[in-house]
Amino acid sequence: MSQSLFLLPGDGIGVEVMGEVKKLVAWLNAQQKADFSTDTGLVGGSAYDKHGVAISDDDMKKAMAADAVIFGAVGGPKWDKVPYEVRPEAGLLRLRKDLQLFANLRPAICYPALADASSLKREIVEGLDILIVRELTGGVYFGEPKTITDLGNGQKRAIDTQVYETYEIDRIVRVAFDLARTRNKKVHSADKKNVMKSGVLWDEVAHAVAKDYADVKFEHILADNAAMQLVRNPKQFDVMVTDNLFGDVLSDAAAMLTGSLGMLPSASLGAPDKATGKRKALYEPVHGSAPDIAGKGIANPIAMLASFAMALRYSFGMIELANKLEASIAAVLDEGLRTGDIAQGGKSIGTEEMGAAILKKLAA
Ligand code: NAD
């Protein structure tokens, strides 16, 4: 039975890097290595231009029905002044909300060929492979009350509310443990239980979940220490699970250990469907639409292709193919091929050449 992909290229370089995914999918189908059916929709500024919203109801329905959503990037100066509710990012937020994508997976992998592009020393980052699992739909970004009150004496009071319930912590920590089982079997749970009640509950639930995974090593770490350890000795980590706020900060810090934005994939997963066991899922590069280079054909497609490798692994169980795709990316980097963002002033190739080189490696 064919498996359905809903492609949302979005704006700017989103469209360019998605072009390389389309070629890869066509090749996989032609070689009978997979049987994907694809449909393409509009999101972000391109959806606004056509429908006046950041994603149409019709495209939302298709996203809900698909086995996986593959997302490019949204935004650009053209849409900076559109009404807030229909700004390009609103399309991504609606997808995350309606698909209930509570688990954000942010790998930080340092390819040996690019170790010198990191701001840290080669020996600290070379061969790094960690996965940050961030809670994406709860916590302080969404908790109520969320207000700014005028106190009338020239002062204002701003309130954000950090709130987590047991089930929210339980399900995200389980995602982290399940993933650790497919990797190096180690989970760190980061919170601030020393000063936050939500941290106390987070840790209590994480310890309870850990009992169900005796084969996985479990450690608690304070989130501030996690930040320090990430830049001191990042290779001590395998999977790190944390809440929405800490995850936002820690995943960006971890990501930058590895060099360019153009290299960073991500996945966002929902709960398994009760009938089919399949999780709703969206895969996207971490980067935005890069208006400064859009239309020039020089964007790095690796973050997008590595996001697709995550789709192969997490939505379709095609582990071997995912490994091969990732190995093909590493191989072209080993051979010295670089897009402008990772060329460090040296010779560079364009989006299509990089995509073609990776596909050629895969075919070999
Ligand atoms: P950006 O990620 O688009 O670009 C930041 C810098 O990194 C730019 O210099 C860009 O050229 C470079 N870069 C990014 N991806 C690259 C790639 N694949 N290859 C080569 N170079 C790459 O962030 P920004 O400039 O802050 O934002 C631009 C637009 O994207 C804004 O409208 C912003 O709101 C939007 N944005 C969207 C997302 C998303 O769709 N998930 C994420 C971040 C920003």
Side-chain angles (χ1 to χ4, degrees), residues 106 132 134 246-257 264 286:
R106 290 275 301 265
I132 304 225
R134 167 189 171 195
F246 297 136
D248 195 357
V249 178
L250 292 173
S251 63
D252 272 5
M256 273 301 110
L257 300 173
L264 301 170
V286 169

Side-chain angles (χ1 to χ4, degrees), residues 13 17 71-77 80 89 92 96 260-263 284-293 298-301 303 339 341:
I13 66 164
V17 294
F71 185 98
V74 292
D80 278 351
E89 286 79 5
L92 183 56
R96 284 181 183 160
S260 164
L261 260 179
M263 299 290 301
E284 57 170 328
V286 169
H287 63 72
S289 58
D292 54 336
I293 58 165
I298 57 171
N300 186 347
T339 43
D341 57 316

